[in-house]
Amino acid sequence: MKTTIFQAPVCELKSLNNLFIEMTAKNCNQRCKHCYIEFPLTKKVKDFISQDTVKKALNDTSSEPLQCIYLTGAEPMTHPDFNSILRLCLKRTNVCICTNATFINEKKARFLKRVEDESQYELIFKLSIDHYDEMKNDDIRGRGSYRQVLHAVKYLSKYDFNPILSITNYYNESPDILKANFISILDKIGFKADERNISINEWYNPSVHSDDTLPSFEWESLDCEYGRILSEKGIYSCPFLVNDHRGRCGSSFADYSGRISLETPYCNTCLKNKRQVFSINFSVFNS
Ligand code: SF4
């Protein structure tokens, strides 16, 4: 009998450029069909990261070459101390807010501009929206979510922010068609976007296992090669595996692991995308 030994590839952290902070594990006002978070039935969970945990992480990573801190969740803007943590992080480096945009109105956009102006670093927005057709988008993300994102883009661009749309390609459409349609819609609301404002990730249903979805072990770059995520429970390899024992790298940035085995269905999603799913490719903005 032929014996096959399966070894998952191991990924090494090359440089800690991206620090993801899970502001809350379970608080979100939306329930998107493709979300990887397992939500409790109640919406009233108080699982917010403490300011002390964030301060310690910033202290422990003071000699690391951080390029961007990503405030993530569930929905990061539900955190009661969101503004204080944002200011703390902006003292250190650029900050990207990864949000469903429901908390951004004109007043908030104006306020966030003031916060950015206090810092020498940039405040960036990744807004989640999945389809240029309102009905199709709202079928995934919930009624009203499409308009909310477009309103947020309008207000953010009014205050000179340059938001990025973060699209999960749930309907498996041509990326070129997605990009062209989104750019045209943004143009109609007065925001001159280009391809760099449209970030598309292919979606693979992790609960579907079939031979034709097996990935190749060749990739350009992975989030776990250039970043780690901090949660109230410790340090993990990436947002997909936050608070999951398979992604655990340590209890603090004072002592954490730079190695991770790529053995989960989420890793297949990354390997099929072949590049970082969560972090921004800054090189395209500098070119
Ligand atoms: S899910 Fe992706 S980023 Fe996370 S450990 Fe696996 S390959 Fe790396």
Side-chain angles (χ1 to χ4, degrees):
M1 195 176 77
K2 192 175 169 188
T3 310
T4 308
I5 300 171
F6 174 74
Q7 277 188 316
V10 170
C11 187
E12 295 276 355
L13 180 71
K14 291 181 176 166
S15 174
L16 189 65
N17 298 143
N18 302 311
L19 168 59
F20 298 88
I21 299 179
E22 187 192 56
M23 300 285 279
T24 165
K26 304 284 183 192
N27 274 284
C28 187
N29 52 337
Q30 293 184 345
R31 293 289 182 270
C32 304
K33 283 184 177 173
H34 52 58
C35 186
Y36 56 88
I37 296 169
E38 287 176 22
F39 286 103
L41 292 176
T42 171
K43 286 194 175 179
K44 293 183 183 161
V45 189
K46 292 199 168 60
D47 65 353
F48 302 107
I49 199 165
S50 73
Q51 288 199 55
D52 285 347
T53 304
V54 175
K55 276 182 194 162
K56 178 167 177 9
L58 292 176
N59 198 34
D60 289 345
T61 56
S62 58
S63 60
E64 302 280 5
L66 289 187
Q67 289 175 348
C68 191
I69 296 173
Y70 296 79
L71 302 182
T72 73
E75 173 48 55
M77 296 184 83
T78 58
H79 196 300
D81 299 323
F82 178 82
N83 296 337
S84 312
I85 292 175
L86 173 62
R87 280 193 163 103
L88 266 179
C89 295
L90 269 171
K91 282 186 186 157
R92 174 65 201 283
T93 187
N94 304 311
V95 175
C96 175
I97 304 174
C98 306
T99 175
N100 62 30
T102 42
F103 294 88
I104 299 174
N105 54 23
E106 176 154 17
K107 193 173 160 202
K108 190 75 180 180
R110 189 168 55 234
F111 169 77
L112 290 168
K113 191 66 194 175
R114 279 215 314 272
V115 173
E116 188 196 49
D117 286 346
E118 292 165 9
S119 162
Q120 59 173 300
Y121 297 107
E122 193 176 347
L123 182 53
I124 305 158
F125 293 85
K126 272 185 104 176
L127 310 179
S128 302
I129 186 169
D130 294 331
H131 205 273
Y132 50 83
D133 178 273
E134 183 173 357
M135 297 263 285
K136 280 185 154 182
N137 178 77
D138 288 4
D139 186 50
I140 306 168
R141 309 194 66 90
R143 204 165 162 190
S145 56
Y146 177 92
R147 282 172 190 241
Q148 186 59 50
V149 172
L150 294 191
H151 280 133
V153 170
K154 206 166 123 190
Y155 297 133
L156 290 172
S157 58
K158 179 174 174 184
Y159 290 97
D160 291 331
F161 289 115
N162 187 18
I164 297 169
L165 299 189
S166 178
I167 294 148
T168 300
N169 193 0
Y170 185 81
Y171 295 107
N172 199 19
E173 290 207 12
S174 147
D176 288 343
I177 290 177
L178 281 173
K179 277 182 195 165
N181 278 284
F182 272 116
I183 288 171
S184 156
I185 284 162
L186 295 175
D187 191 50
K188 281 184 196 145
I189 62 166
F191 177 51
K192 300 281 173 228
D194 61 38
E195 292 205 354
R196 296 171 302 180
N197 296 92
I198 314 291
S199 168
I200 300 172
N201 288 317
E202 299 307 320
W203 184 66
Y204 299 95
N205 186 344
S207 62
V208 173
H209 302 281
S210 77
D211 284 349
D212 63 3
T213 62
L214 287 173
S216 89
F217 293 130
E218 287 174 11
W219 61 83
E220 285 172 30
S221 60
L222 298 174
D223 288 293
C224 52
E225 286 180 309
Y226 294 98
R228 287 291 180 263
I229 183 164
L230 168 76
S231 83
E232 195 57 51
K233 293 182 179 166
I235 314 301
Y236 295 83
S237 58
C238 67
F240 272 144
L241 294 178
V242 65
N243 304 325
D244 182 325
H245 68 277
R246 296 170 297 179
R248 182 139 180 110
C249 298
S251 55
S252 82
F253 278 111
D255 182 19
Y256 69 103
S257 171
R259 283 168 71 87
I260 190 82
S261 291
L262 310 188
E263 59 186 350
T264 73
Y266 297 115
C267 300
N268 290 353
T269 297
C270 297
L271 292 170
K272 285 172 179 168
N273 273 286
K274 296 199 176 294
R275 57 172 176 73
Q276 288 152 271
V277 170
F278 295 98
S279 47
I280 296 167
N281 181 0
F282 285 101
S283 62
V284 297
F285 286 92
N286 297 330
S287 58

